[in-house]
Amino acid sequence: MKLTIIGAAGSIGAPTAFYTALRNVVEEIKMIDPNAKLLKNHVMDMEQAVREKSDTRITAADYSDLGDCDILMITAAKPSSNVSSRDEWMTGNLQLLSRIQQDIGKYASNKIRISATNPSDVCTYYHYKNLGWDRSKIIGFCVNDSVRVRWALAIVMGLDYKEIDALCIGEHGPKQVPLWDKVTY
């Protein structure tokens, strides 16, 4: 199985590539990013860092390399600026996603897509509506909110993080809802 990460040199894409490679769950991770110099550095560093634990190949790629990929993960976003809400990124990120979708459409048809661009729910829906793909193949990534709830509980309550099960639902941002009554330890 092959994974492509678009926006792979950024603060979500690069760690995702690294941790996925360490788990040795895919044959190859193809990394796409307009910052070619930073991307090249990430690819080289990750290839060296994971080699002891993983057979996953990590390569720099472009959209024409998408044909044999099984999963596309979109982590691309406009650079962060002083915003009070992730909703303020929406216009710029939707414009960016529109350009990315045009490139994806040329080379990859109906692949599984994971959307991690903020605002997460809006961008995930945008992928579905604009491409007309099978919506069962489009996944929004916002598990980090649940991870953060578990992390905060572990710190505040002095608990073992690995023993906490907690969920957070809703839009990534101020509208998220921690499900306190579902927390278990």
Side-chain angles (χ1 to χ4, degrees), residues 19-184:
Y19 288 112
T20 302
L22 276 179
R23 291 176 180 248
N24 203 25
V25 294
V26 295
E27 173 187 341
E28 181 179 7
I29 299 171
K30 297 180 180 191
M31 299 175 69
I32 297 176
D33 198 282
N35 188 338
K37 185 176 180 180
L38 181 58
L39 182 65
K40 181 180 176 182
N41 290 337
H42 281 321
V43 167
M44 183 177 62
D45 290 344
M46 285 183 217
E47 272 281 312
Q48 294 167 3
V50 304
R51 195 52 44 219
E52 293 291 321
K53 304 268 184 199
S54 175
D55 295 323
T56 299
R57 288 189 326 273
I58 303 170
T59 59
D62 59 42
Y63 291 101
S64 63
D65 297 317
L66 294 178
D68 65 344
C69 265
D70 303 289
I71 302 171
L72 307 174
M73 183 168 191
I74 316 298
T75 64
K78 292 297 222 178
S80 298
S81 59
N82 293 330
V83 296
S84 60
S85 164
R86 286 175 172 84
D87 291 341
E88 293 179 38
W89 288 330
M90 185 166 38
T91 301
N93 282 345
L94 290 179
Q95 291 170 349
L96 177 62
L97 290 179
S98 178
R99 289 193 305 273
I100 289 170
Q101 286 180 339
Q102 289 173 9
D103 290 326
I104 289 172
K106 294 175 192 174
Y107 302 105
S109 61
N110 217 14
K111 307 288 183 175
I112 295 171
R113 176 179 298 194
I114 302 169
S115 174
T117 303
N118 281 317
S120 178
D121 291 342
V122 172
C123 291
T124 300
Y125 185 72
Y126 183 80
H127 285 296
Y128 163 65
K129 286 305 273 186
N130 279 356
L131 289 176
W133 286 3
D134 177 353
R135 71 179 179 181
S136 69
K137 292 186 177 184
I138 301 173
I139 302 165
F141 175 84
C142 54
V143 70
N144 52 333
D145 292 326
S146 294
V147 168
R148 288 174 181 159
V149 167
R150 291 171 57 202
W151 172 83
L153 287 168
I155 298 272
V156 171
M157 300 182 77
L159 301 173
D160 180 358
Y161 171 85
K162 294 175 187 168
E163 298 296 322
I164 300 170
D165 189 20
L167 294 173
C168 189
I169 61 170
E171 177 60 49
H172 178 61
K175 298 173 190 162
Q176 62 186 266
V177 180
L179 300 179
W180 299 118
D181 62 332
K182 302 294 182 194
V183 174
T184 60

